[in-house]
């Protein structure tokens, strides 16, 4: 069996998330498996770097799968893309070492979250960002974001349903940029807890609006209490941007 | 009567162009008039800077209209936006001098055309760009584009249907940028002939592919012959970017 990796881009708007689900539910994994199994005429088991939620987008999701025959990766990619729906595309396919596992081999994942800070929502960004109308204090959010960098217990910044897992994560980097009216939150970590980015961005937006101080992050991190983090922001502003191996 | 100007953004994908048409045809002007007349309870005559075609988008189309009453422009914009469909929004509304006419007062219009130059089309740019798979020679297109700058007869770079109008136009500026796999053609002129940008970009793409030389532009411009320009590119890559007064 040959092990292949592929880089996948998808618009999450019309998917119930990445992971396949029982019943007639549209998922990225379901669409990919349908086309891969049809073209390859074999059962496929799909590894993937990030299990994105319903509505979350990906620029460079990474998957891997084992194939009986040798593939001409360039032609294979074109034939897969011709069968995939309009909202998924394979950007790249290549042979991977036999040990490669899209999830377990990943060293770092980068997510972006987009906020339009203006008094109107752009028709072009509506599906890919949220609108915040009051002027956000970018510097305060940057100051607060620094507190997330490093190794921390993120139990106050995830969905309560994952409280029993190991909630320690290593955040490598956190940048907040503002270009014109678009605020981009870019966060890198070894891996992320369920809803972690959306909880973190929600907390920072409260600070950007002046409803909380940058120092509040320290307390939330050290206490591990759910009540000390902000509201979770909607999925549509979130992109899995890159996975590093 | 008070004269108001508004800046309008729209995704042209699902419109049969800007200009209102008889029958049950969806146009930007038709949607705008419907909402404006409903909110203002009067008949509205709409001036506009650029009559964009079916499928063409706008970041900053400019319109003007005369209103009997005084408007609180901020609240007015919010109420109009709450009634407009998802693919049109008013970015700004303000009072204009009584002489202001969105079309006749415009001194300069900027259009952008987007080409993805790669071996896959991004799911996010599919509706807003065309895909060119062979590597484009950017420098040759830049060299060729310089020939358009200045005052020229553009009769070989427009739809044959407008051959009887005055076909002299002044192109102020023409830039071609490449960022990652995205090529942006940005052209500014006093005004544009019907299909002019799409014909010009089509001609440059032939040069970028090596099918024609940068010098061929001079000949096409001086001859005025339709056969010497390239094929018109699709509408979906075209944006009315800015109008200057």
């Amino acid at each position: 069996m040959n092990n292949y990796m592929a880089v996948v881009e998808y618009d999450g708007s019309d998917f119930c998330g990445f992971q396949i689900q029982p019943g007639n539910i549209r998922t990225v994994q379901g669409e990919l498996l349908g086309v891969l199994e049809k073209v390859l005429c074999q059962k496929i088991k799909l590894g993937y770097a990030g299990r994105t939620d319903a509505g979350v987008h990906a620029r460079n999701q990474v998957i891997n799968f084992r194939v009986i025959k040798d593939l001409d990766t360039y032609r294979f990619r074109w034939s897969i893309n011709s069968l995939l729906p309009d909202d998924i595309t394979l950007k790249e396919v290549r042979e991977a070492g036999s040990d490669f596992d899209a999830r377990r081999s990943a060293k770092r994942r980068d997510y972006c979250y987009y906020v339009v800070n203006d008094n109107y929502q752009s028709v072009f960004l509506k599906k890919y960002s949220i609108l915040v109308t009051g002027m956000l204090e970018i510097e305060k959010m940057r100051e607060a974001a620094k507190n997330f960098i490093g190794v921390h217990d993120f139990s106050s910044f995830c969905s309560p349903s994952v409280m029993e897992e190991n909630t320690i994560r290593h955040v490598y980097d956190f940048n907040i940029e503002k270009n014109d009216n678009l605020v981009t939150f870019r966060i890198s970590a070894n891996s992320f807890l369920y809803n972690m980015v959306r909880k973190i961005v929600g907390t920072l937006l409260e600070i950007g609006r002046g409803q909380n101080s940058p120092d509040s992050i320290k307390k939330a991190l050290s206490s591990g209490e759910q009540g000390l983090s902000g509201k979770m922001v909607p999925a549509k502003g979130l992109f899995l941007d890159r996975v590093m191996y």
Side-chain angles (χ1 to χ4, degrees), chain A:
Chain A
M1 295 279 264
N2 301 301
N3 192 15
Y4 291 93
M5 69 87 83
V7 180
V8 188
E9 189 183 66
Y10 50 87
D11 180 329
S13 308
D14 297 330
F15 288 107
C16 294
F18 188 88
Q19 197 174 34
I20 202 163
Q21 292 178 47
N24 198 10
I25 289 170
R26 192 169 185 260
T27 63
V28 180
Q29 190 179 13
E31 295 285 344
L32 284 169
L33 281 178
V35 175
L36 287 171
E37 294 186 344
K38 186 174 171 182
V39 168
L40 295 168
C41 304
Q42 64 163 88
K43 271 283 174 197
I44 292 290
K45 197 167 161 272
L46 210 68
Y48 50 92
R51 192 188 58 202
T52 58
D53 260 353
V56 176
H57 317 286
R59 288 209 187 85
N60 297 290
Q61 168 78 287
V62 178
I63 60 172
N64 76 294
F65 50 93
R66 285 164 209 278
V67 178
I68 296 161
K69 56 190 164 192
D70 282 334
L71 299 179
D72 172 340
T73 51
Y74 189 81
R75 289 181 57 187
F76 172 74
R77 187 172 62 76
W78 278 98
S79 58
I80 296 292
N81 280 343
S82 71
L83 295 170
L84 283 172
D86 258 6
D87 45 4
I88 314 182
T89 196
L90 298 192
K91 294 168 78 166
E92 194 186 334
V93 177
R94 64 164 187 257
E95 221 177 322
S98 61
D99 290 345
F100 180 81
D101 179 285
R103 186 172 68 80
R104 278 190 295 266
S105 309
K107 298 267 184 293
R108 169 180 160 158
R109 286 137 174 114
D110 296 358
Y111 278 87
C112 287
Y113 197 92
Y114 296 98
V115 173
V116 170
N117 192 206
D118 210 324
N119 51 34
Y120 71 95
Q121 174 59 294
S122 161
V123 299
F124 302 110
L125 299 179
K126 206 165 265 188
K127 286 163 65 188
Y128 311 112
S129 65
I130 59 164
L131 175 67
V132 172
T133 51
M135 187 59 80
L136 290 167
E137 294 191 70
I138 305 294
E139 273 314 316
K140 283 208 173 154
M141 294 196 292
R142 281 189 184 132
E143 194 190 328
K146 280 183 200 154
N147 292 298
F148 290 112
I149 296 174
V151 178
H152 299 284
D153 180 346
F154 283 90
S155 52
S156 43
F157 294 94
C158 64
S159 169
S161 62
V162 292
M163 286 301 282
E164 285 155 72
E165 290 176 29
N166 169 16
T167 49
I168 308 285
R169 291 294 183 275
H170 189 169
V171 171
Y172 300 124
D173 214 353
F174 200 149
N175 284 298
I176 303 173
E177 293 151 38
K178 188 170 185 192
N179 284 303
D180 204 355
N181 62 1
L182 185 66
V183 183
T184 306
F185 298 79
R186 193 179 299 271
I187 179 166
S188 308
N190 60 334
S191 75
F192 289 87
L193 295 169
Y194 191 53
N195 291 336
M196 180 170 149
V197 181
R198 291 163 61 190
K199 276 269 203 175
I200 286 176
V201 172
T203 304
L204 291 176
L205 289 178
E206 289 184 1
I207 292 166
R209 283 190 186 102
Q211 294 161 348
N212 222 330
S213 77
D215 279 344
S216 62
I217 303 290
K218 283 194 188 75
K219 207 174 159 190
L221 280 171
S222 61
S223 75
E225 277 176 44
Q226 288 275 331
L228 293 180
S229 59
K231 252 200 224 142
M232 188 165 88
V233 286
K236 66 177 186 167
L238 186 60
F239 282 71
L240 172 53
D241 198 46
R242 206 164 46 149
V243 185
M244 266 142 58
Y245 291 93

